[in-house]
Amino acid sequence: MILFPAIDLKDGQCVRLFKGEMDKATVFGDDPAAQARRFTDAGCRWLHVVDLNGAFAGHPVNAAAVEAILAAVDVPVQLGGGIRDHAAIDRWIDLGVSRVILGTVALRDPALVREACRRHPGRIAVGIDARDGRVAVEGWAETSDVTALDLALRFEDAGVAAIIHTDIDRDGALSGPNVEASAQLAEHLTTPVIVSGGVSSLDDVLAVQAQAHRGLEGVISGRALYDGRLNLAAALVALGAV
């Protein structure tokens, strides 16, 4: 079980949103690279980075901050937010991103995801952000009629490295992750699933770990790490990561 600390970028700063709403952002720092070093110095083996402005704009916006993070750490980084064409995918992988997360484009252009998986084996993840079980896109501003499971199944034979499943109504709300929804999704897939949204405590992390046998590979935490509700060192020890 991998704990992915989240670094969400808005206007070059580290922030956390409340249920995906850009006007409800809490700023936790103005030096994303320093924050990345703090996470890796504590023993984190992966980082989860999201360009929030990019998710809404449809193209990378916080590139300078991402590049600073990549230069600051030597652990794998998975990156999402506004990556919607092969040029952006290729650029980030060339710059050292270990795993590119495709979200909106997975719904809009599944053929692009398949081609990206072919060109970059093991380097492409699909981000499935759901509101009431339905996939939301364009920075969560639009909710489609497609279910999370239907979208995930479209890529079962594509070579996707992971599905990152976010319950939008839990994200940033510290109300606990929707472990059961993610586990049920994972049970229908061969692709591993990473749980995102709502982690508030060590108990939440352990609840995800307890369902690892159903196909859960990891859990993402943001706000709880920043405000101290989740002790990073204790979480890593509990997961056997250190």
Side-chain angles (χ1 to χ4, degrees):
M1 180 64 59
I2 301 169
L3 176 63
F4 295 82
I7 300 178
D8 288 358
L9 301 170
K10 179 177 183 285
D11 305 330
Q13 298 177 309
C14 299
V15 307
R16 290 301 290 170
L17 304 186
F18 179 75
K19 298 185 179 181
E21 298 182 28
M22 286 288 273
D23 61 350
K24 294 183 179 179
T26 302
V27 177
F28 285 101
D30 58 6
D31 190 339
Q35 182 60 64
R37 283 192 297 270
R38 284 193 287 272
F39 284 143
T40 58
D41 287 347
C44 292
R45 296 178 294 166
W46 273 87
L47 295 178
H48 175 81
V49 179
V50 178
D51 180 349
L52 294 172
N53 299 104
F56 282 89
H59 57 82
V61 174
N62 287 285
V66 176
E67 290 177 30
I69 290 170
L70 293 171
V73 301
D74 57 5
V75 302
V77 172
Q78 61 182 23
L79 172 68
I83 305 173
R84 299 183 190 171
D85 56 44
H86 286 299
I89 295 167
D90 294 346
R91 178 176 181 272
W92 283 122
I93 288 178
D94 288 345
L95 285 172
V97 169
S98 296
R99 186 185 283 170
V100 170
I101 305 166
L102 302 179
T104 293
V105 75
L107 182 68
R108 304 278 196 238
D109 190 357
L112 184 147
V113 177
R114 291 179 169 276
E115 176 62 15
C117 289
R118 188 191 67 79
R119 292 166 61 168
H120 304 288
R123 308 287 293 275
I124 305 298
V126 168
I128 298 181
D129 307 327
R131 182 181 284 115
D132 295 325
R134 304 285 173 173
V135 177
V137 294
E138 305 292 347
W140 302 351
E142 300 176 21
T143 302
S144 73
D145 292 328
V146 178
T147 69
L149 177 58
D150 286 343
L151 183 58
L153 287 172
R154 293 177 188 178
F155 302 107
E156 265 290 86
D157 61 349
V160 170
I163 298 291
I164 299 170
H165 180 237
T166 303
D167 185 325
I168 295 170
D169 288 330
R170 306 285 185 110
D171 192 73
L174 298 171
S175 58
N178 195 339
V179 180
E180 185 58 26
S182 294
Q184 287 182 9
L185 177 65
E187 285 182 325
H188 289 86
L189 307 173
T190 58
T191 308
V193 172
I194 297 168
V195 179
S196 175
V199 171
S200 64
S201 67
L202 180 58
D203 285 345
D204 289 339
V205 172
L206 296 177
V208 176
Q209 184 186 40
Q211 301 302 316
H213 63 283
R214 297 170 70 181
L216 302 182
E217 177 185 76
V219 58
I220 295 168
S221 179
R223 183 180 294 271
L225 288 174
Y226 290 101
D227 70 11
R229 292 172 188 253
L230 175 60
N231 182 285
L232 180 55
L236 292 173
V237 169
L239 294 175
V242 292

